Amino acid sequence: MGNAHPTRDPSTRVVHFMASKPTILVTRKLPQAIENRLSQDYIARLNEADHSYSPEEIIAHAQGADAVLINMSDHLTAEVIHHLPESVRAIATFSVGYDHIDLVAAKQRHIAVINTPGVLTEATADLTLMLLLCASAASQWSQCARAIGELER
C-alpha cells in the first residue's frame, strides 16, 4: 500500500487506509524551513504570492483541505468557519494568541484549534534584555549629564 496511513474509526473499530498525505492550506508565506517541513509531511497549498486572503478566498482555497494554517492577520469569524468545507478538521495559527479565531464557532463545527504558545519565548527574552541594557546605558548617561550640570534635576 505504499505510504498509506491506517486510521481507526472509533464508532466501527474498522481500520481504514488513507492513500495520501493530509492536505493543509497555508494562508501566508512562512519561514522556508517550515514550508519545507509542511511540504514533506502534508500536501501543502502554499500562498506563494503572500497576499492576504479574503474570507472568500480562504473558504475557496480550503476546499478539500484537512486543515488550515493561518496567522494572526487572518480573522476567522463565525461566518467564515461556518462556510469552511466539511473536510476541514483543524485550524492552526502561526501565533501565540488565538483571539482572531471564533472558538465557539470552531467548537460547534468540531474543528480543533491549535496555536504555537512557545514561538516567541526566546524573542521576548532577547527584547527584554536589550531594553534593560538600553535603560542602563541611558541611566548612566543621565547621571553623567547631571554631574556636569547639563541636565536639570
Side-chain angles (χ1 to χ4, degrees):
M1 287 229 154
N3 66 354
H5 304 288
T7 59
R8 187 173 293 274
D9 181 346
S11 64
T12 61
R13 303 238 186 241
V14 174
V15 175
H16 299 278
F17 287 89
M18 295 182 342
S20 65
K21 301 175 189 178
T23 300
I24 187 166
L25 168 65
V26 182
T27 62
R28 296 305 300 260
K29 188 100 175 108
L30 298 175
Q32 192 61 50
I34 294 171
E35 288 188 352
N36 291 345
R37 179 65 188 266
L38 286 167
S39 295
Q40 176 185 342
D41 296 340
Y42 302 92
I43 298 171
R45 295 181 187 163
L46 304 175
N47 181 350
E48 298 292 339
D50 195 30
H51 80 275
S52 184
Y53 285 157
S54 69
E56 294 79 18
E57 287 176 303
I58 291 173
I59 294 164
H61 289 299
Q63 295 300 319
D66 299 290
V68 179
L69 175 55
I70 64 172
N71 72 22
M72 63 185 198
S73 67
D74 297 311
H75 296 278
L76 294 189
T77 63
E79 183 176 357
V80 173
I81 291 171
H82 174 73
H83 287 96
L84 285 174
E86 289 296 320
S87 62
V88 174
R89 304 308 323 144
I91 297 168
T93 180
F94 193 70
S95 63
V96 175
Y98 45 83
D99 57 339
H100 53 290
I101 303 168
D102 189 314
L103 297 177
V104 172
K107 185 175 183 176
Q108 289 172 342
R109 286 276 317 272
H110 304 287
I111 297 175
V113 176
I114 304 133
N115 67 337
T116 51
V119 74
L120 295 176
T121 303
E122 279 191 44
T124 302
D126 291 346
L127 189 57
T128 301
L129 186 58
M130 182 198 68
L131 290 171
L132 287 170
L133 291 171
C134 288
S136 174
S139 174
Q140 288 177 346
W141 175 84
S142 68
Q143 286 177 347
C144 289
R146 278 192 194 136
I148 60 173
E150 291 185 11
L151 196 64
E152 292 182 22
R153 289 188 173 243

